[in-house]
Amino acid sequence: MPPPIAKPLIRCLLGAALLWTAVAQAGPLMVPDARDWSRLTPEQQALRQAEIRAQLRAASPAERKAFREQLRQQLESITPQERQALIDGARERWQAMTPQERQRLADERRDKVRQMTPGERRELLMQRREMLDRMSPAERRALREKLSAE
């Protein structure tokens, strides 16, 4: 006879599997609203970000591409002041991190780029070039200085 905890545990696991299946088949990935995102606490953002990453891992390449495009369009549609507030918040969170946390994030990003297909890497490079083309010379100079300082 199985232990008394076995039945509830099996039910819980089955429920989690059904929930995961429902989430994975829920349809297109939705980009969170930038204004709502900025109101979340760092802990809430981290939880939401983990959920989004899990959904992106399970998504098809076309769904991931659509998500990135939707995110880019949303960020381009917000006002410069709102964009600056998002940048400032990200900068504050980055500066509050320990060197070990920063290194961990850099390593994770490096691993993600290594796992990309050559086509995905080319697309990422094109996106970065487009971003630099939209920047003013002063913004590009500030970015170069920031990157060389780190």
Side-chain angles (χ1 to χ4, degrees), residues 20 29-32 37 40-58 67 71 90 93-94 97 104-105 108-109 112:
W20 176 253
L29 297 166
M30 297 305 298
V31 173
W37 183 268
L40 297 175
T41 66
E43 295 80 20
Q44 291 171 324
Q45 287 179 354
L47 287 173
R48 183 68 182 113
Q49 192 174 26
E51 292 170 3
I52 292 170
R53 283 186 178 155
Q55 290 176 342
L56 285 170
R57 276 192 294 274
F67 179 86
L71 178 61
R93 285 190 301 279
W94 176 260
M97 288 181 175
R104 181 185 52 80
L105 285 175
E108 285 176 9
R109 179 64 181 160
K112 284 180 192 175

Side-chain angles (χ1 to χ4, degrees), residues 1 3 6 11 14 17 37-38 40 42 62-63 67-68 71 74 82 84 91 93 96 111 114 135 140 143:
M1 181 167 185
R11 284 185 187 142
L14 285 174
W37 183 268
S38 66
L40 297 175
E63 289 172 324
F67 179 86
R68 285 191 306 268
L71 178 61
Q74 184 186 99
E82 291 171 324
Q84 189 60 48
R91 183 178 297 122
R93 285 190 301 279
D111 290 342
R114 283 186 188 128
M135 291 177 141
R140 285 195 299 270
L143 181 61

Side-chain angles (χ1 to χ4, degrees), residues 98-109:
T98 65
Q100 294 81 13
E101 290 172 320
R102 290 180 187 181
Q103 186 61 46
R104 181 185 52 80
L105 285 175
D107 292 342
E108 285 176 9
R109 179 64 181 160

